[in-house]
Amino acid sequence: MEIRLVQGDITEQDVDAVVNAANSSLLGGGGVDGAIHRRGGPEILQECRALRASHYGAGLPTGQAVATTAGRLPARWVIHTVGPVHSAAEDRSELLASCYRESLRVADELGAATVAFPAISTGIYGWPMDDGARIALSTVRRASTSVVEVRFVLFDAAAHAAFERSLG
């Protein structure tokens, strides 16, 4: 598998699947989640509402992943995953790693060859960027997957630099 780092906008990635750093409601929010819902259009929200009405009445649990259409995005699918909120008092790194593993598992089920990830949990959920990059890259490298390209799409230069250090 090839791992690429890109500084830019995840909603502009021409890949099979874009991973959304969602909140458990699956109904949109801020950051990456809001951007994906805004650019992808109402089709994504419609499928998310259907998921809430059927399998995820209480919301998508942290560390799990589920797919919907990508609506108006250049991707075919959006894989929604809920990252953990960082805690100095509790080690939640396994939940963060699970987001990456579960997203790749769903990508394999879909037949996706190319997947774009954001830096999950490093925004409003407060995960330190260097540690988030380390967990993301080590988890993806160890994953058993048919995905041929994983693209980490980092919003700014600082995030890109943190991932470059961890990719080393």
Side-chain angles (χ1 to χ4, degrees):
M1 160 193 0
E2 178 185 2
I3 296 176
R4 294 184 50 213
L5 306 180
V6 175
Q7 184 178 332
D9 182 345
I10 198 163
T11 68
E12 296 175 354
Q13 301 304 304
D14 188 5
V15 291
D16 293 328
V18 168
V19 176
N20 180 19
N23 63 51
S24 64
S25 78
L26 296 175
L27 302 179
V32 169
D33 193 19
I36 285 173
H37 275 270
R38 280 190 302 278
R39 176 111 190 258
E43 298 88 350
I44 297 172
L45 183 58
Q46 182 179 355
E47 283 193 29
C48 285
R49 284 189 173 134
L51 286 167
R52 285 296 307 269
S54 59
H55 296 86
Y56 300 102
L60 183 66
T62 301
Q64 292 190 18
V66 65
T68 65
T69 181
R72 299 171 190 163
L73 296 173
R76 293 176 63 191
W77 301 286
V78 174
I79 299 172
H80 306 267
T81 189
V82 180
V85 174
H86 183 262
S87 169
E90 179 186 350
D91 182 6
R92 298 178 179 166
S93 56
E94 182 50 38
L95 282 171
L96 182 55
S98 180
C99 291
Y100 293 99
R101 276 193 308 273
E102 287 297 302
S103 294
L104 289 171
R105 180 189 60 75
V106 170
D108 284 340
E109 289 175 359
L110 295 168
T114 55
V115 178
F117 280 99
I120 298 168
S121 287
T122 61
I124 196 160
Y125 285 5
W127 207 282
M129 186 61 72
D130 284 328
D131 193 47
R134 179 189 61 77
I135 292 167
L137 288 163
S138 65
T139 302
V140 166
R141 281 179 172 143
R142 288 192 312 261
S144 175
T145 181
S146 298
V147 171
V148 296
E149 179 191 318
V150 169
R151 188 179 306 173
F152 287 98
V153 182
L154 296 316
F155 184 72
D156 60 23
H160 191 273
F163 271 74
E164 270 190 331
R165 286 190 297 275
S166 286
L167 189 59

